[in-house]
């Protein structure tokens, strides 16, 4: 069997188009244009590139983008004051604090400063609690992107054996929750898991977010499985994921490439979360 590659670029393009149309419709109806504020502290070049991409993506779909930059030595109070001002700004529906923060800043405390109604990264303690308890709320972008890809390819999650490799707050844990919400039978693996290949080989749907280049080879995969690779690594030979694509493609039914798989979904879901936050604000303001 030779797996089909999941085309994340085209699924992400469809999500962006859906958001663009919904934003245009809102504006036509006289409702506020959705707005996303990014907060970048310090001058990490990779973070600056990510922020620029998010700003550009907003512009493409008609979301108003607000760009806030603070020096690396801004200090916790100044960052907190910036977040407070954005929480209070009615033009802003989503607030994104770009991570990682410079040393000396308490990332967890600052993330929790964001109003959960504007937490488009889904990382505040309140948003995480809502996810775990199954209450409505904003969900983290990359895990949402994975579910969107699985849906786009018609992968039935109900009752499916799903294995997630990785338990980070950003990816593994929330992804496991979203799979559970969709009635998959979920196993979460991590660096202390014994006989990883034996566990992953049970999966109908295998999602890998371990941050280890080409960790998952053919032996880790059940024939006919769907394999989602969240990992991304810049190696001398180019970009690679946590999955050995060529080896796994010989065994799986569907597999995401790197690049062009999960990567494009993250920003697309950020736009979608910003739209959702704006819609929720409108619904709350309605008499
Ligand atoms: P992370 O915070 O480093 O977490 C990695 C997780 O994998 C940890 O839970 C760790 O276990 C587990 N792990 C590490 N080595 C393992 C092994 N040999 N076997 C089994 N489990 C192992 O990473 P992350 O933020 O979740 O990101 C994971 C990858 O996704 C990275 O390559 C990152 O660049 C990429 N990423 C991509 C996107 C995107 O948009 N495409 C977004 C976010 C992240 P312990 O908990 O026991 O340490």
């Amino acid at each position: 069997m030779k797996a089909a590659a999941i085309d994340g670029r085209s699924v992400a393009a469809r999500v962006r188009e859906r958001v663009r149309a919904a934003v245009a419709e809102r504006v036509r109806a006289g409702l506020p244009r959705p707005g996303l504020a990014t907060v970048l502290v310090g001058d990490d070049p990779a973070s600056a590139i990510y922020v620029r991409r998010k700003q550009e993506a907003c512009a493409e779909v008609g979301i108003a983008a607000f760009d806030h930059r603070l020096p690396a030595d801004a200090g916790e109070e100044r960052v907190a004051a910036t977040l407070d001002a954005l929480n209070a700004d009615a033009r802003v529906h989503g607030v994104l604090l770009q991570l990682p923060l410079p040393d000396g800043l308490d990332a967890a405390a600052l993330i929790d400063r964001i109003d959960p109604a504007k937490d488009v990264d889904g990382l505040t303690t309140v948003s995480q609690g809502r996810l775990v308890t199954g209450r409505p709320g904003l969900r983290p972008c990359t895990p949402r992107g994975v579910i969107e890809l699985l849906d786009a390819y018609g992968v039935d999650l109900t009752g499916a054996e799903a294995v997630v490799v990785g338990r980070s707050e950003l990816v593994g844990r929330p992804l496991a929750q979203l799979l559970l919400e969709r009635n998959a039978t979920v196993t979460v693996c991590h660096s202390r898991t014994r006989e990883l290949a034996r566990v992953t080989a049970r999966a109908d749907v295998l999602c890998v977010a371990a941050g280890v280049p080409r960790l998952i080879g053919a032996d880790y995969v059940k024939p006919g499985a769907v394999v989602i690779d969240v990992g991304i690594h810049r190696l001398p030979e180019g970009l690679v994921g946590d999955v050995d694509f060529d080896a796994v493609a010989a065994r799986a039914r569907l597999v995401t490439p790197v690049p062009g798989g999960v990567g494009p979904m993250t920003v697309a879901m950020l736009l979608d979360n910003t739209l959702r936050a704006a819609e929720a604000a409108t619904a709350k303001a309605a008499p």
Side-chain angles (χ1 to χ4, degrees):
M1 183 192 304
K2 175 83 176 121
I6 290 179
D7 183 354
R9 290 196 183 100
S10 75
V11 178
R14 289 208 294 275
V15 172
R16 285 168 188 242
E17 177 49 32
R18 196 173 74 202
V19 173
R20 195 197 58 72
V23 169
E25 183 53 40
R26 271 181 70 83
V27 173
R28 255 198 307 276
L31 294 168
R33 183 180 291 283
L36 173 71
T38 52
V39 179
L40 176 61
V41 187
D43 46 18
D44 175 51
S47 293
I49 292 171
Y50 290 137
V51 165
R52 200 185 66 222
R53 283 199 196 133
K54 290 167 189 175
Q55 297 269 331
E56 288 169 356
C58 283
E60 276 169 28
V61 299
I63 289 177
F66 304 90
D67 184 5
H68 292 262
R69 305 206 171 206
L70 296 170
D73 61 359
E76 196 135 331
E77 277 182 27
R78 200 167 148 203
V79 181
T82 302
L83 296 173
D84 290 348
L86 295 171
N87 285 340
D89 188 337
R91 298 167 307 163
V92 172
H93 303 94
V95 177
L96 184 146
L97 180 60
Q98 183 65 40
L99 302 174
L101 292 174
D103 289 345
L105 293 176
D106 183 344
L110 287 168
I111 287 169
D112 275 341
R113 195 97 186 185
I114 297 169
D115 179 349
K118 299 191 178 188
D119 176 22
V120 283
D121 253 348
L123 294 179
T124 61
T125 306
V126 170
S127 296
Q128 292 191 48
R130 287 179 180 163
L131 172 59
V132 171
T133 52
R135 290 179 206 163
L138 291 162
R139 311 306 198 207
C141 301
T142 303
R144 272 203 69 206
V146 171
I147 300 291
E148 187 80 22
L149 282 180
L150 293 169
D151 284 346
Y153 279 79
V155 176
D156 186 8
L157 292 171
T158 301
E161 187 95 41
V163 175
V164 178
V165 184
R167 57 176 168 180
S168 72
E169 266 182 50
L170 198 63
V171 189
R173 272 169 212 252
L175 178 54
Q177 290 296 335
L178 290 179
L179 290 163
L180 192 59
E181 198 168 84
R182 296 292 297 273
N183 299 314
T185 301
V186 184
T187 304
V188 181
C189 302
H190 44 78
S191 65
R192 315 284 176 88
T193 297
R194 286 196 299 258
E195 296 185 65
L196 181 65
R198 193 179 53 78
V199 183
T200 57
R202 289 206 312 255
D204 302 313
V205 177
L206 174 60
C207 301
V208 191
V212 180
R214 299 198 186 101
L215 172 68
I216 302 298
D219 295 352
Y220 289 66
V221 176
K222 173 162 122 178
V226 176
V227 181
I228 304 288
D229 186 357
V230 181
I232 181 151
H233 310 274
R234 197 172 291 280
L235 298 186
E237 66 266 35
L239 287 183
V240 301
D242 288 355
V243 172
D244 183 342
F245 182 86
D246 291 332
V248 166
R251 208 169 162 99
R253 174 165 75 84
L254 287 168
V255 59
T256 54
V258 176
V262 174
M265 295 304 296
T266 299
V267 174
M269 301 323 289
L270 172 67
L271 302 174
D272 192 65
N273 270 353
T274 305
L275 171 65
R276 284 179 181 213
E279 287 172 344
T282 301
K284 201 171 162 205

